[in-house]
Amino acid sequence: MSPLNLAFLDIMSCGLGAVVLIFLLIKHNVNSNNIDDNNLMEEATVLSKINLELESEIDLLSKKNLETLKKITDLKTNLENFKKEQSDIKEDILGIDEENKTLEGKLKKEEGNLDNIDLVNLDGKNEQSYLTGLKIEGDSIIILMDTSASMSDEKLINIIQRKISSNKIKSEGKKWLQTVRAVKWILARLPEKSNFQFIYFNENSKIYSEKTKMFKAKDKKVLNEIILSLSSLFPEKGTNLLSAFEAARKINATSPNIYLITDGLPTIGKKTNLLDRNKNSVSPKERLNIFRESESYFIKNFPRSSLNIILLPLEGDIDASYHYWQFTKKTNGLFLSPSKDWP
């Protein structure tokens, strides 16, 4: 083979190699461009999604921001209203303080006037006043006032009717008004140098001012307070005489003379077998047993005291007068069964 042919073949081989190389390069660039385009599309999709999410979050934050601004505005308004109300309240308090000072001044003035007023204005005073042998005497005196339901009236039918009536109607009963007058009658005749205490009772008992000390009979303020307190009482519930004696026992007094205003034998005792609280009535025998219990307690705990009894009438309790008269006799006391118009 000639050198010329060899040179030609070399040239042809180089040319073919160049063509192949160009072909490979062109094919590679096409694939690379396709891959880049696909990546760009995917990234654009992701960015678009992120953009939508950001816009949604921005809208949400904008709404929350508006709500927060509204709340801040409302709070500012409420704060201003609160400050205004607080200012009004302070002005009201100052006004109330001024009114209280004025009322306190008037109250002190009225209290001073009260000391000079005698509400116990029944005729006849001090130990010189008598009524059928009943005399108010002694260094220590305790008054026991029965405020049970039967004290409203003499007749049972009227008592039952008043039981279911208003307190005002209960306190308008003739016998109750007589009971109140009887208490005033005793208070008007307390010896000037004596000491006294007042107890009212029905199922339970209550000592005046809830204190166990005695008060001086010449203390007009105490007397007037007791008289005024009578207007707030009304007859109700059962009669527990033992409770009254137990309350009197708590009073710090030596051998007091006791004045009892009642209308019949008691209906409630300490021993449970004497009275079934679920029963609507108490038999005469049960009432007598309850009375005996109270009588025994008094004689045991007040051996040197006299019991004086003002017994008002009660329909159906015919034995009460006899038993109470015997009771006062045992204690060297006095018994009075007054007329309807006394005192």
Side-chain angles (χ1 to χ4, degrees), residues 68-124:
T68 303
L69 290 174
K70 186 177 182 303
K71 288 181 180 179
I72 292 173
T73 302
D74 292 341
L75 287 173
K76 287 182 178 179
T77 303
N78 292 337
L79 181 60
E80 291 176 358
N81 293 335
F82 175 76
K83 288 181 178 179
K84 186 177 183 303
E85 290 177 0
Q86 192 176 37
S87 177
D88 293 340
I89 290 172
K90 287 181 179 179
E91 291 180 1
D92 291 340
I93 291 173
L94 291 175
I96 291 172
D97 288 340
E98 291 297 325
E99 289 181 5
N100 285 340
K101 289 179 181 179
T102 303
L103 290 174
E104 285 176 0
K106 290 182 179 179
L107 182 60
K108 288 181 180 179
K109 184 178 179 180
E110 291 298 327
E111 287 178 349
N113 294 335
L114 186 62
D115 292 336
N116 299 320
I117 298 175
D118 186 8
L119 296 180
V120 187
N121 55 9
L122 295 176
D123 294 335

Side-chain angles (χ1 to χ4, degrees), residues 126-316:
N126 302 326
E127 65 273 22
Q128 288 79 17
S129 298
Y130 297 84
L131 179 66
T132 62
L134 181 61
K135 184 181 180 182
I136 310 302
E137 59 184 352
D139 295 331
S140 299
I141 296 172
I142 297 177
I143 304 169
L144 304 179
M145 178 187 184
D146 185 350
T147 61
S148 62
S150 63
M151 297 297 286
S152 64
D153 206 286
E154 177 182 352
K155 295 187 177 296
L156 293 178
I157 185 65
N158 294 337
I159 293 172
I160 294 172
Q161 288 176 345
R162 290 185 186 277
K163 271 187 176 181
I164 58 176
S165 300
S166 65
N167 295 338
K168 183 177 184 298
I169 293 177
K170 291 177 183 177
S171 62
E172 291 174 349
K174 290 183 178 180
K175 193 165 80 173
W176 176 252
L177 296 176
Q178 185 180 19
T179 303
V180 172
R181 291 200 308 272
V183 173
K184 292 181 180 180
W185 186 89
I186 295 174
L187 291 173
R189 288 156 179 78
L190 291 172
E192 288 185 357
K193 295 183 179 180
S194 67
N195 296 316
F196 80 102
Q197 181 55 277
F198 172 68
I199 299 171
Y200 61 89
F201 68 97
N202 42 42
E203 291 184 357
N204 300 296
S205 58
K206 187 170 183 179
I207 303 172
Y208 164 71
S209 76
E210 299 183 357
K211 296 179 180 178
T212 57
K213 71 174 185 178
M214 301 286 281
F215 296 93
K216 295 185 181 298
K218 61 182 180 180
D219 191 335
K220 289 185 178 181
K221 182 178 179 180
V222 172
L223 287 170
N224 291 335
E225 285 179 354
I226 292 176
I227 295 298
L228 290 173
S229 70
L230 294 177
S231 62
S232 64
L233 300 178
F234 54 88
E236 63 172 350
K237 302 180 180 179
T239 310
N240 190 341
L241 182 59
L242 179 60
S243 173
F245 290 158
E246 288 175 337
R249 186 73 179 84
K250 296 176 183 178
I251 304 299
N252 186 19
T254 303
S255 303
N257 284 346
I258 297 178
Y259 292 83
L260 169 65
I261 305 170
T262 187
D263 66 342
L265 298 179
T267 58
I268 298 174
K270 188 173 184 179
K271 297 179 181 179
T272 55
N273 63 333
L274 291 179
L275 176 61
D276 181 358
R277 295 296 181 90
N278 294 322
K279 293 170 61 176
N280 293 324
S281 61
V282 187
S283 69
K285 182 179 179 181
E286 287 173 324
R287 296 184 71 178
L288 182 58
N289 288 335
I290 296 170
F291 171 80
R292 295 298 185 203
E293 179 189 23
S294 303
E295 182 184 47
S296 298
Y297 179 90
F298 185 93
I299 292 173
K300 179 181 178 181
N301 290 278
F302 298 92
R304 291 180 292 176
S305 294
S306 63
L307 177 64
N308 306 278
I309 297 176
I310 299 174
L311 185 69
L312 302 182
L314 177 62
E315 184 181 61

